[in-house]
Amino acid sequence: MSSLFPALTDGPADRPALRFGERSLTYGELAAAAGAVAGGLTEARRVAVWATPALETAVSVTAALLAGVTVVPLNPKSGGKELGHILTDSAPDLVLTAPGEDLPAPLDGLPRLDVDPSLRAPGALPDDRARNAEDPALIVYTSGTTGPPKGAVVPRRAIAATLDALADAWRWTGEDVLVHGLPLFHVHGLVLGILGPLRRGGSVRHLGRFTGEGVTRELNDGATMLFGVPTMYHRLAEALPDGPELAKALAGARLLVSGSAALPVHDHERITAATGRRVIERYGMTETLMNTSVRADGEARPGTVGVPLPGVELRLVEEDGSPIASYDGETVGEIQVRGPNLFTEYLNRPDATAAAFTADGWFRTGDMAVRDPDGYVRIVGRKATDLIKSGGYKIGAGEIENALLEHPGVREAAVTGEPDADLGERIVAWVVPADPQSPPGLEELAGHVAGRLAPHKRPRVVRHLDSLPRNDMGKIMKRALRHG
């Protein structure tokens, strides 16, 4: 296959590639630094990378991929038990990390390679064009909500396919400058946020820690694209009324992209009202990389994740696995996908791999959605946690959450189902009130939802919280709500 990063050898050496705070590398400097690291990986088959949001992580991953070595990104916030499981399961030969980094005990027995981005290799870069497209590039561990995390083996082919499909959908070129503050141990921050710009020959400016001030500074200083998760865009929406410079910065961006969870329609509308710009959403998973997106030249329809990307087949199926014959924007089904963007297997888990695919190669995502007649997809939630069967209806939690967030008394909201002798399941709204001294009650919120959606979608129970439990990516951890 072709090189994952042609700009490292074919582009201008003085073109900016990476910037983390005050530290930066041009393409020439990145090639030399990655070459130096790759020289220390000649005997390695698989390496762990201590994936802090730093220049060392980007150099480490780039070097390993050029050298044909599989990368296991490690979340620096992982607990000892989870780290121990990942290291035992993936059995890396080395751990790559910044010099002086204090690593936790589970990594004590693993040989360590300190990565210094200022080093320069004397020889040529490894030529990755001879690598097989099916060779494993990354092993990314899932969140492990139903047991120990599983290692999704992502081949080189999937990275190239997803990034090239996004280039088509987003008109992404080497002229683009991406700004984000995402963690680098997962698909969003690492594959899209670092490898994406490098594959295009563009540049990325990582904020280290996400702030509205950082976004304002970078977008007003030539950055063209912003990647974020809904929590980040919510904070931007909250800051916009008192932030004319932020509004100017967002208005001047070529592309604002949100992912990793659904962006509430209320935040979509607040950002558009203040800036004239629409945030576009896309949909992907660790196992599939990216499946769909709103296109840069398409309609940014709030609440949807757009249309399938080039090369991706997508269908919705009934509970018995039969495909939904026609799409009406109302019928809920499970998303199944097929295409070059898919992972190859769960490491050491042939049982889980077999269970994840149909006999004819469709991946069962576990995500529930409706699809409009023109192909736009709207996610309504996870099959395991967000599909509520109440009174004979299949109801997605997402649309109820969006409706609740339109109520002025609601700051945050999550919706789950719980057993009900009459309905099968009743709808439960977990609400963080805008004013804790005067929280909106059940009757008020039920009427609000019923007036916007349908009576059978109204919550039957409201529980008030000080905050919602979220993971590092800002996703609400609904199992913690249900069992809390």
Side-chain angles (χ1 to χ4, degrees):
M1 65 180 290
S2 61
S3 172
L4 283 177
F5 312 115
L8 282 175
T9 51
D10 301 342
D14 61 351
R15 191 180 189 90
L18 301 166
R19 193 171 87 195
F20 286 75
E22 299 300 314
R23 307 163 70 210
S24 63
L25 293 175
T26 64
Y27 273 89
E29 291 166 341
L30 174 58
V37 175
L41 303 179
T42 53
E43 302 299 319
R45 177 181 64 101
R46 189 179 291 162
V47 296
V49 172
W50 191 244
T52 57
L55 205 53
E56 287 81 4
T57 298
V59 171
S60 297
V61 174
T62 304
L65 294 179
L66 288 171
V69 176
T70 308
V71 173
V72 183
L74 299 179
N75 177 359
K77 295 183 179 178
S78 291
K81 183 177 179 181
E82 183 174 284
L83 267 180
H85 164 73
I86 291 171
L87 294 169
T88 301
D89 191 52
S90 61
D93 301 305
L94 299 168
V95 58
L96 277 58
T97 184
E101 189 77 53
D102 186 18
L103 300 180
L107 288 154
D108 284 349
L110 194 60
R112 169 177 177 151
L113 177 64
D114 285 348
V115 173
D116 183 351
S118 68
L119 291 179
R120 302 291 179 256
L125 266 182
D127 185 353
D128 69 332
R129 290 175 296 179
R131 308 292 173 196
N132 190 301
E134 296 302 316
D135 284 350
L138 302 171
I139 301 174
V140 185
Y141 279 79
T142 62
S143 56
T145 53
T146 56
K150 298 191 292 288
V153 180
V154 178
R156 300 174 70 86
R157 167 257 302 161
I159 293 175
T162 269
L163 295 179
D164 292 349
L166 290 177
D168 177 271
W170 295 346
R171 300 294 185 257
W172 194 353
T173 74
E175 299 304 310
D176 279 305
V177 177
L178 170 64
V179 57
H180 72 86
L182 298 162
L184 301 187
F185 50 82
H186 59 82
V187 166
H188 193 173
L190 179 61
V191 177
L192 273 61
I194 299 294
L195 306 186
L198 296 182
R199 183 161 176 82
R200 299 275 70 82
S203 62
V204 57
R205 301 175 188 170
H206 197 284
L207 296 172
R209 187 175 65 87
F210 177 87
T211 64
E213 293 78 13
V215 168
T216 301
R217 179 185 68 246
E218 299 302 340
L219 287 178
N220 281 335
D221 189 31
T224 62
M225 300 167 67
L226 172 66
F227 288 178
V229 297
T231 303
M232 296 172 178
Y233 280 104
H234 176 74
R235 291 173 186 167
L236 296 179
E238 294 274 287
L240 277 169
D242 302 312
E245 283 300 304
L246 174 61
K248 173 188 166 190
L250 295 175
R254 189 181 74 77
L255 209 61
L256 306 173
V257 183
S258 181
S260 295
L263 179 63
V265 172
H266 180 53
D267 287 332
H268 269 287
E269 300 298 353
R270 290 199 292 171
I271 291 169
T272 299
T275 68
R277 301 302 309 277
R278 285 279 187 195
V279 179
I280 69 170
E281 293 189 80
R282 84 299 178 282
Y283 159 62
M285 301 175 66
T286 303
E287 294 91 339
T288 67
L289 302 189
M290 292 302 111
N291 298 310
T292 73
S293 181
V294 172
R295 295 182 60 89
D297 56 0
E299 179 191 350
R301 200 176 297 170
T304 78
V305 292
V307 297
L309 290 166
V312 177
E313 296 178 80
L314 182 147
R315 69 183 185 184
L316 302 184
V317 300
E318 302 279 10
E319 287 185 69
D320 63 2
S322 60
I324 291 174
S326 61
Y327 298 117
D328 56 9
E330 292 291 333
T331 305
V332 177
E334 182 189 0
I335 299 173
Q336 294 185 350
V337 292
R338 196 163 63 174
N341 55 313
L342 295 191
F343 77 133
T344 52
E345 63 174 338
Y346 291 115
L347 187 67
N348 304 322
R349 291 290 305 275
D351 55 333
T353 304
F357 287 91
T358 67
D360 51 350
W362 292 86
F363 176 69
R364 300 181 170 104
T365 67
D367 288 318
M368 307 301 290
V370 300
R371 195 171 183 183
D372 292 337
D374 62 0
Y376 271 67
V377 175
R378 178 162 52 88
I379 311 288
V380 299
R382 291 290 293 167
K383 188 175 184 179
T385 56
D386 294 320
L387 186 67
I388 301 165
K389 297 176 182 177
S390 183
Y393 295 98
K394 287 193 291 185
I395 303 165
E399 61 178 345
I400 305 172
E401 290 162 354
N402 270 322
L404 288 168
L405 287 166
E406 291 175 5
H407 189 286
V410 174
R411 182 178 298 280
E412 295 181 79
V415 168
T416 62
E418 65 182 23
D420 184 277
D422 179 44
L423 297 168
E425 283 187 294
R426 57 179 170 266
I427 297 167
V428 180
W430 305 78
V431 169
V432 177
D435 178 4
Q437 304 305 314
S438 180
L442 173 61
E443 186 175 344
E444 182 179 352
L445 291 178
H448 172 81
V449 170
R452 277 163 174 73
L453 300 177
H456 68 267
K457 296 179 180 180
R458 71 189 185 278
R460 308 294 179 129
V461 179
V462 171
R463 298 196 174 114
H464 296 108
L465 299 170
D466 294 330
S467 64
L468 295 175
R470 296 180 184 271
N471 65 12
D472 288 332
M473 291 305 298
K475 290 184 182 179
I476 297 167
M477 298 188 291
K478 292 197 173 178
R479 291 180 190 277
L481 290 174
R482 285 178 151 183
H483 301 144

